[in-house]
Amino acid sequence: MNSSSDGHSVRQPALPAATLAALGIVFGDIGTSPLYAFRECFASHGIDPTPMTPTNLVGAASLIVWALILVVSIKYVLIILRLDNRGEGGILALSALIRSAARRLGGKDPKAVLLLGLAGSSLIYADGMITPSISVLSAVEGLTVISPEFSKYVVPVAVCILILMFSIQRHGTGKVGILFGPVVLCWFVTLGLLGLRGIIQHPEVLSALSPASGIMFLIHEWHHAFPLLAAVFLAVTGGEALYADLGHFGTRPIRVGWFSVVLPGLVLNYLGQAALLSHDPKALEAPFFLLAPDYLRLPLTILATAAAAIASQALISGAFSLTTQAVQLGCLPRVKVRHTSEHSVGQVYVPFVNRFLLVACIVLVITFKSSAALAGAYGIAIVLTMTITSILFYSAARAAWGWSTAKAATVTSLFLILEIPFLAANTLKVIHGGWLPLVVAGSAMGLMLTWLWGRARLYKRLSREALPIDALLGDLKRGQIHRVSGTAVYMSGRGDTVPTALLHNLKHNQVLHERVVLLHVDTLDQPHADPETAVAHTDLGEGLHRVNLSFGFADTPDVPVALKAGLPAEVKFHPGKATYVLGRETYGVGKNASALDRLRLALFAVMARNASPATAYFRLPPGRVVELGAQITL
C-alpha cells in the first residue's frame, strides 16, 4: 500500500507489473519510430537528398542516438518527470502547477502560463491524430516488402486496425497496458536483436556512439541540415507522451522501462539500420524490414503492425487525460468521463475524444495513403509542444523547486538550444502537410478560449442582476416566503448572491424548502483536494447553508457523497431525499454585440448545449433533479 498525495491510501501494482503496463502504453509511439525515422533522413521528397555515404550514415545514426539521450533521457525522463502536479503529468498539469505555486507565494496568477498550457495541450490533440495514422501505415507497409502485390491492401488493413484499436479503449489504459505490455516488450527485444545482427556484420557503425560523428556530419552536410534535422526529430517523437501519461503509471515504472528496455533497443536498431545501408544503399526503401532475413519478414510485419497499433495508445491516453484536466479547470465544457481503474485516478476514458480521434485517423490514412506522405505533416506539433514545455520549465523550476533565476535560465536555455534547431527544421514541413496539425491545434485552442471567454462573460452578466443573500434572509425573517419540508441544493457562485435557479423557483413556485444548501463547486490547480479542507460549511441562518466543495482536477466530483460526508448532522442531509435544483440557460445575443462577439457567443451557446448534463457529471440522483430554464442575453 502506498499513500497518495491527497492523503488516501491507494494500492499500486508491483514495479515489474507497472513497468510492463507502462511499456504497453507509454513507449509505443517512440518505439515505432525506427519504422520510418532513419529512412526519412535520406529520403528525397522532391529535394536533393543527403548522400548515403558510410560516413553520413554513421553521422545520421549519431544524431539520432544523441537526440534520444539529450532530449528524452535527460530532459524528460530525468528532469521533466520530476515536475508532477501531485502525481499528474502533461503540459496542462504543468501550467496548473505553476499557477498554483505562484498564487501560494502571493504573486499574481500568470495568465500567459495558462495560454501556453492550452496551446501545448491543443498541439497534443493534433499529434494524437497523426501518430496512430503514421505508425499503423508504416507497419502495414511491411506487406509491400514481402510482395508488391500487397500494396493495394495497405490502406484497408490500416483502417481496420485503427477501428479495432479505438474500440478497445473503453476497457481502460491499465487493462490495455497489461494486454499490450508483453507485445511491446517482445517488440523492443526484436528491435535490439535486429540491430545487433547488423552491427555484428558491420561493427564500424559503433563510432556513431561518439557525438563527434554527428557534429562533423552536420558541419559537412550543412546544406542538408534543415531537412535532415526534421527527419532526426522523428526519432524522439513520443517524448512528450512520457510526461502526459505520468498520471497513469508514475515516474519509477517509466524510468525503469526506458533505461532497461526502450533506449537500448532503439539505439541498437538505429545503428543496425546504418550498418545495413552502408553496404546496401538500395535497402533505403524499407531499411527496418530488410534488417531481417527473408523468412522472418512476415512475422516481423505482423509484430510491427501490433506494435504500431499499440503506439497509438500513448497519445490517445494522453488526450484523455488532457481533456479531463481541461474540463476540471474550466477550459472546456463538461464531457462524459469514465474512470477505468480502482487504483489510479489518472486512468480515464473519454468517449467523445475517442470517437473524434478515430474518425480523424481514418480520414488521414485514406487521404495520405502512405507513411512517407504523412511524414510531411508529422513532427511540427510535437516539437512545438516540447518547446512550450521547455519555456514553462523555467517558471515551474522557479515556483515549485525554488531554483534561482540563473539556474533555471541555464537549464531552460540548454533545452531550447537542443529544440530550436528542430523547430526551425520542422517549419519547412508547413507547406508539405505541416499546416494540418497547426490548423487542428488552432481550432482546439480557439474552442478553449471561447469557452473561457463565454463563462467569464456569463458570470459578469449574472453578477449584475444578482440578488444579495441578505435581502433573501430579510424576507425569510419577515415570513414573506412560504416554506415546505425537505432539503434543496442549488448550485451557486462564489459571492454573496442568490443563485439564479433559486430566484426562478421563487418566481414560479413561490415556495422555498425549509433547508436550502447554496453549493459552490471549486476545482483546484492540483490533482486531488485535501480531505480536511475539501468541504467548507457556513450556517447563514433561516435554514440557509453555504457550502463550498473543492475537488482536484483529477478527482471525480461526486457531490452527494461529498455533501453527506461534510455537512453537520443537524442539516439532516440525505443524498437520496434531497432535491437538486439546476439552472438550464439558453443564450441570446444582445443588439449591441459586435460581429466577432456574435460569432463567439453563438459558438459558446453550441458548446453549452452539447455539454454533458450536470446530473451525470456531479453524480446527482437523476430522480431527484429539477431543472429550471432561463433565457439570458449576453
Side-chain angles (χ1 to χ4, degrees):
M1 293 280 262
N2 294 334
S3 294
S4 66
S5 57
D6 63 355
H8 294 289
S9 288
V10 179
R11 225 179 49 182
Q12 299 290 347
L15 181 61
T19 302
L20 186 64
L23 283 176
I25 299 296
V26 177
F27 299 110
D29 182 8
I30 200 167
T32 53
S33 295
L35 288 168
Y36 50 83
F38 200 82
R39 177 195 70 199
E40 292 300 311
C41 289
F42 298 93
S44 63
H45 296 305
I47 59 175
D48 182 27
T50 305
M52 261 199 308
T53 64
T55 302
N56 286 354
L57 288 163
V58 169
S62 179
L63 289 176
I64 288 176
V65 168
W66 282 95
L68 290 169
I69 292 172
L70 297 174
V71 175
V72 183
S73 299
I74 295 178
K75 176 188 172 181
Y76 278 98
V77 177
L78 294 182
I79 299 178
I80 296 295
L81 286 187
R82 293 174 55 206
L83 278 170
D84 66 294
N85 193 343
R86 298 196 182 188
E88 287 292 318
I91 198 164
L92 202 55
L94 179 61
S95 65
L97 172 68
I98 297 168
R99 297 172 67 205
S100 177
R103 286 198 294 266
R104 189 172 61 249
L105 296 172
K108 293 182 179 180
D109 188 2
K111 300 296 184 184
V113 169
L114 175 61
L115 292 176
L116 285 172
L118 294 181
S121 59
S122 300
L123 288 161
I124 288 180
Y125 284 121
D127 186 31
M129 293 167 43
I130 300 177
T131 296
S133 307
I134 192 171
S135 298
V136 171
L137 267 177
S138 59
V140 178
E141 284 168 352
L143 293 172
T144 63
V145 177
I146 299 171
S147 172
E149 294 293 321
F150 291 147
S151 60
K152 59 185 177 182
Y153 298 112
V154 168
V155 171
V157 170
V159 169
C160 291
I161 291 170
L162 287 168
I163 292 173
L164 177 64
M165 181 69 212
F166 281 96
S167 68
I168 65 174
Q169 293 302 314
R170 64 174 61 92
H171 298 295
T173 53
K175 294 176 183 177
V176 169
I178 293 172
L179 173 67
F180 288 163
V183 178
V184 178
L185 177 61
C186 179
W187 170 252
F188 282 112
V189 170
T190 302
L191 288 182
L193 291 176
L194 289 176
L196 191 60
R197 179 173 182 263
I199 293 170
I200 290 173
Q201 293 175 348
H202 310 291
E204 61 272 13
V205 297
L206 289 173
S207 60
L209 296 176
S210 168
S213 299
I215 294 171
M216 294 305 297
F217 172 48
L218 275 181
I219 294 173
H220 181 67
E221 295 292 338
W222 61 268
H223 47 295
H224 294 119
F226 267 13
L228 187 70
L229 285 176
V232 168
F233 183 76
L234 294 175
V236 299
T237 55
E240 186 70 29
L242 306 186
Y243 187 40
D245 284 328
L246 177 61
H248 292 249
F249 300 102
T251 302
R252 198 175 175 203
I254 293 176
R255 285 180 174 163
V256 170
W258 173 256
F259 286 111
S260 64
V261 177
V262 180
L263 182 60
L266 291 174
V267 170
L268 287 172
N269 195 266
Y270 284 120
L271 294 182
Q273 290 190 45
L276 170 67
L277 290 173
S278 64
H279 290 268
D280 184 11
K282 294 181 181 179
L284 183 63
E285 180 184 354
F288 172 80
F289 290 103
L290 292 173
L291 268 176
D294 292 344
Y295 61 89
L296 286 180
R297 284 175 191 160
L298 180 57
L300 181 60
T301 299
I302 295 172
L303 178 61
T305 303
I310 295 167
S312 312
Q313 193 61 55
L315 269 299
I316 295 169
S317 55
F320 292 163
S321 297
L322 281 170
T323 302
T324 306
Q325 294 172 18
V327 170
Q328 290 285 64
L329 292 172
C331 302
L332 283 175
R334 294 184 300 267
V335 295
K336 184 178 180 180
V337 176
R338 284 178 48 191
H339 289 259
T340 57
S341 172
E342 297 178 359
H343 311 306
S344 175
V345 293
Q347 294 186 18
V348 294
Y349 166 67
V350 184
F352 171 77
V353 174
N354 194 62
R355 290 192 296 269
F356 167 76
L357 291 178
L358 170 60
V359 173
C361 288
I362 291 174
V363 170
L364 286 176
V365 167
I366 293 174
T367 303
F368 284 86
K369 294 184 173 60
S370 72
S371 62
L374 257 178
Y378 195 42
I380 183 71
I382 305 173
V383 72
L384 278 169
T385 307
M386 287 185 172
T387 304
I388 291 172
T389 300
S390 295
I391 295 170
L392 289 175
F393 171 82
Y394 172 81
S395 298
R398 298 270 293 131
W401 292 345
W403 280 16
S404 66
T405 302
K407 184 177 180 181
T410 299
V411 176
T412 302
S413 298
L414 291 174
F415 288 163
L416 292 175
I417 286 171
L418 289 172
E419 288 163 352
I420 286 178
F422 286 131
L423 176 60
N426 275 279
T427 57
L428 298 179
K429 291 184 173 183
V430 173
I431 59 174
H432 298 293
W435 57 269
L436 177 63
L438 297 181
V439 169
V440 172
S443 301
M445 188 171 182
L447 290 176
M448 293 184 188
L449 292 176
T450 298
W451 186 251
L452 287 169
W453 174 82
R455 278 168 50 92
R457 190 169 178 127
L458 176 62
Y459 180 76
K460 288 181 181 178
R461 174 73 171 78
L462 295 177
S463 297
R464 286 199 302 267
E465 298 181 357
L467 177 72
I469 288 179
D470 290 341
L472 176 62
L473 288 171
D475 290 341
L476 292 173
K477 288 176 182 178
R478 290 189 291 270
Q480 295 179 351
I481 299 175
H482 182 65
R483 309 295 290 269
V484 295
S485 62
T487 303
V489 179
Y490 292 85
M491 301 300 293
S492 173
R494 294 176 180 272
D496 297 325
T497 57
V498 179
T500 304
L502 194 153
L503 289 176
H504 283 283
N505 179 56
L506 286 175
K507 177 181 178 181
H508 294 288
N509 300 321
Q510 299 178 1
V511 295
L512 198 66
H513 290 75
E514 62 179 338
R515 291 179 299 276
V516 175
V517 176
L518 305 179
L519 173 65
H520 175 70
V521 178
D522 192 24
T523 301
L524 307 176
D525 283 337
Q526 61 191 54
H528 312 294
D530 186 343
E532 296 181 0
T533 58
V535 182
H537 168 252
T538 305
D539 189 343
L540 301 174
E542 302 299 323
L544 264 65
H545 302 266
R546 181 190 290 121
V547 177
N548 190 88
L549 295 182
S550 297
F551 295 99
F553 61 73
D555 290 331
T556 300
D558 193 326
V559 165
V561 169
L563 287 175
K564 178 66 176 175
L567 284 173
E570 56 266 23
V571 180
K572 300 178 182 179
F573 177 79
H574 299 283
K577 296 182 179 180
T579 299
Y580 303 86
V581 185
L582 305 177
R584 177 170 286 275
E585 297 88 5
T586 56
Y587 305 106
V589 181
K591 295 180 180 179
N592 297 325
S594 66
L596 177 60
D597 281 354
R598 287 177 179 274
L599 179 62
R600 297 168 78 182
L601 288 171
L603 181 57
F604 174 74
V606 171
M607 295 172 72
R609 281 198 303 271
N610 288 279
S612 178
T615 303
Y617 186 75
F618 292 117
R619 298 199 171 186
L620 306 178
R624 304 297 304 175
V625 174
V626 174
E627 291 190 346
L628 296 174
Q631 173 76 36
I632 299 177
T633 302
L634 296 177

